[in-house]
Amino acid sequence: MGTKYTIIDSEIGKLLLASTDKGVVNISFINADPEDKSAFELEVASDLAQLQRSLKTGAFVQDDSAFSEAAKEIREYFAGKRKEFSFKQDKTLSNGFTRKVHDQIAKIPYGQTATYSEIAALIGHPGAARAVGTACGRNTLLFSVPCHRVVATNGLGGYAGRLDIKAHLLQMESVATQ
């Protein structure tokens, strides 16, 4: 088995998926323009090298077939046909406080939001809204750990994938955005 990766298309751009024997460990945006092949390949290689260091594992091998279920579910999500994900996930990269935040965020239902402050209170750390935001930025399982559903009290807040994408995802889920 080992560590594998694939790149899939989505309506918000190319996504890098990586997995271990335990399941999908990474879903992330590829920001480089696919038309700039050199920059695109460099970003993918850099992201995979960072994952390899974080996981203390061997090199990732491209294997598109290993992600058929995850890719199908992500496409269904963007088509409005899926509200929850069931593919196997490896949450190894999320631990401690960050893991508590991610586990709580995973409970936010499709089409709803929670504030950073609400998440902090729910995990027993009232007043840690900024730390919740930092934990959101460390999310390696976009969409399945829906950090886009965590908003500021007075607006969208931040998002690793860009605020326009966060607004798009919330609009797609029919959440009113400011």
Side-chain angles (χ1 to χ4, degrees), residues 2 4 14 21 44 112 114-115 117 121 139 146 158 161 171 176-177:
K4 301 175 182 178
K14 301 272 188 188
D21 291 337
V44 170
Q112 295 182 30
T115 66
S117 297
N139 180 14
Q171 182 178 23
T177 58

Side-chain angles (χ1 to χ4, degrees), residues 90-120:
D90 178 352
K91 296 184 179 183
T92 300
L93 296 174
S94 176
N95 51 54
F97 178 84
T98 298
R99 179 65 170 267
K100 286 181 183 180
V101 171
H102 292 175
D103 287 348
Q104 189 62 48
I105 289 169
K107 297 175 186 176
I108 303 170
Y110 182 96
Q112 295 182 30
T113 61
T115 66
Y116 297 101
S117 297
E118 289 169 338
I119 297 296

Side-chain angles (χ1 to χ4, degrees), residues 5-9 14-17 30 40 44 62 64 75:
Y5 81 96
T6 192
I7 297 167
I8 65 170
D9 289 314
K14 301 272 188 188
L15 301 173
L16 173 65
L17 280 65
I30 303 173
F40 186 82
V44 170
Q62 187 165 4
D64 301 337
R75 287 185 185 103

Side-chain angles (χ1 to χ4, degrees), residues 3 7 15 20-22 26 42 46 48 58-59 75 80-82 84 92 112 138 160 164 167 173 176:
T3 50
I7 297 167
L15 301 173
T20 67
D21 291 337
K22 296 178 189 176
N26 180 80
L42 183 63
S46 175
L48 290 173
R75 287 185 185 103
K81 297 177 181 174
R82 176 170 293 277
E84 295 178 3
T92 300
Q112 295 182 30
R138 293 186 179 139
D164 61 322
E173 293 184 13

Side-chain angles (χ1 to χ4, degrees), residues 6-64:
T6 192
I7 297 167
I8 65 170
D9 289 314
S10 78
E11 70 178 54
I12 56 172
K14 301 272 188 188
L15 301 173
L16 173 65
L17 280 65
S19 70
T20 67
D21 291 337
K22 296 178 189 176
V24 176
V25 71
N26 180 80
I27 302 169
S28 60
F29 301 106
I30 303 173
N31 294 310
D33 182 353
E35 298 297 317
D36 184 346
K37 191 173 172 90
S38 176
F40 186 82
E41 289 175 355
L42 183 63
E43 182 176 339
V44 170
S46 175
D47 290 353
L48 290 173
Q50 178 60 44
L51 282 169
Q52 186 178 345
R53 284 189 300 275
S54 297
L55 293 166
K56 297 177 178 71
T57 187
F60 282 81
V61 176
Q62 187 165 4
D63 183 351
D64 301 337

